[in-house]
Amino acid sequence: MRNVIFQMAVSLDGYFEGPHHELDWHRVDDEFNAYAIDLLNRVDALLFGRVTYELMASYWPTPAALEDDPQVARRMNSLPKLVFSRTLERADWQNTRLVKTDAAAEVSRLKQQPGKDVAIFGSSDLALALMPDRLINEYRIFITPVVLGRGKPLFAGITERHTLALRSSRVFRSGLVCLTYAPASLV
């Protein structure tokens, strides 16, 4: 069975985006890129909600991405991608399939297929849609040493308890801390 890995960067005060949807506080350096390449080599599919998909699709296929982060860009562009949206009319990014049906049912089917793990980068609304059915096997939360004061909280909208167990932690030279959790029932 494939695992679903949800990865998100949050501020120290728990926001994944600033009050005006800004992400300029994220910390990406050579150490983080090495981590990203390793993770991208361990998965064989990426899952996105519409907003994150549009953000990613507007950057990774560009000449700037290929010049700034060639290994990450090549992997992001070549991996199969599923974008979950009821409003998006088409998904033109290389190797992308648009899914307009129930995200939980589709991800449940995907988990049963042979292959490597799959990753959700960002896409908090998609993660929130999968949490009630316990479809996320691993939560990688990157704590960024910045306090935003306002923004969109990571788990806004969750109405039931989800007990997680810490599996590992990693401190990056930039000050990022990656906390990796699994649902307590899977530990």
Side-chain angles (χ1 to χ4, degrees):
M1 175 183 271
R2 301 163 96 175
N3 289 315
V4 174
I5 300 167
F6 169 57
Q7 179 173 292
M8 178 68 86
V10 298
S11 64
L12 193 57
D13 50 349
Y15 300 111
F16 70 86
E17 66 180 13
H20 305 289
H21 310 289
E22 64 270 21
L23 302 172
D24 59 343
W25 48 273
H26 286 199
R27 294 196 178 179
V28 177
D29 59 10
D30 290 341
E31 184 181 21
F32 181 83
N33 278 343
Y35 158 84
I37 292 164
D38 181 62
L39 177 58
L40 288 167
N41 287 331
R42 294 173 184 260
V43 301
D44 63 5
L46 301 174
L47 310 179
F48 297 108
R50 180 193 55 81
V51 173
T52 305
Y53 169 79
E54 290 178 333
L55 179 69
M56 298 283 194
S58 72
Y59 176 69
W60 289 113
T62 68
L66 292 166
E67 183 178 321
D68 293 344
D69 298 310
Q71 286 183 288
V72 174
R74 279 194 296 273
R75 198 73 180 124
M76 290 292 290
N77 291 323
S78 66
L79 278 167
K81 293 167 278 295
L82 282 76
V83 57
F84 295 88
S85 173
R86 297 187 196 282
T87 60
L88 200 61
E89 292 300 318
R90 62 182 209 273
D92 296 329
W93 188 11
Q94 178 184 348
N95 297 323
T96 300
R97 179 168 59 98
L98 177 59
V99 180
K100 290 185 171 262
T101 58
D102 179 49
E106 182 69 22
V107 171
S108 184
R109 280 191 294 277
L110 182 65
K111 287 180 68 153
Q112 301 304 316
Q113 297 173 0
K116 296 180 181 180
D117 292 340
V118 298
I120 303 170
F121 296 147
S123 301
S124 68
D125 290 341
L126 174 59
L128 294 174
L130 301 178
M131 287 177 71
D133 293 311
R134 309 291 197 248
L135 292 170
I136 298 174
N137 302 88
E138 186 172 289
Y139 296 78
R140 293 186 184 187
I141 309 301
F142 277 86
I143 309 297
T144 306
V146 63
V147 175
L148 296 177
R150 298 182 301 140
K152 189 168 180 184
L154 178 54
F155 294 113
I158 290 296
T159 58
E160 60 183 37
R161 182 183 306 215
H162 291 264
T163 304
L164 305 175
L166 183 66
R167 293 176 69 188
S168 67
S169 63
R170 175 177 173 184
V171 178
F172 289 70
R173 288 185 301 274
S174 67
L176 283 175
V177 176
C178 179
L179 301 173
T180 301
Y181 295 96
S185 61
L186 299 178
V187 178

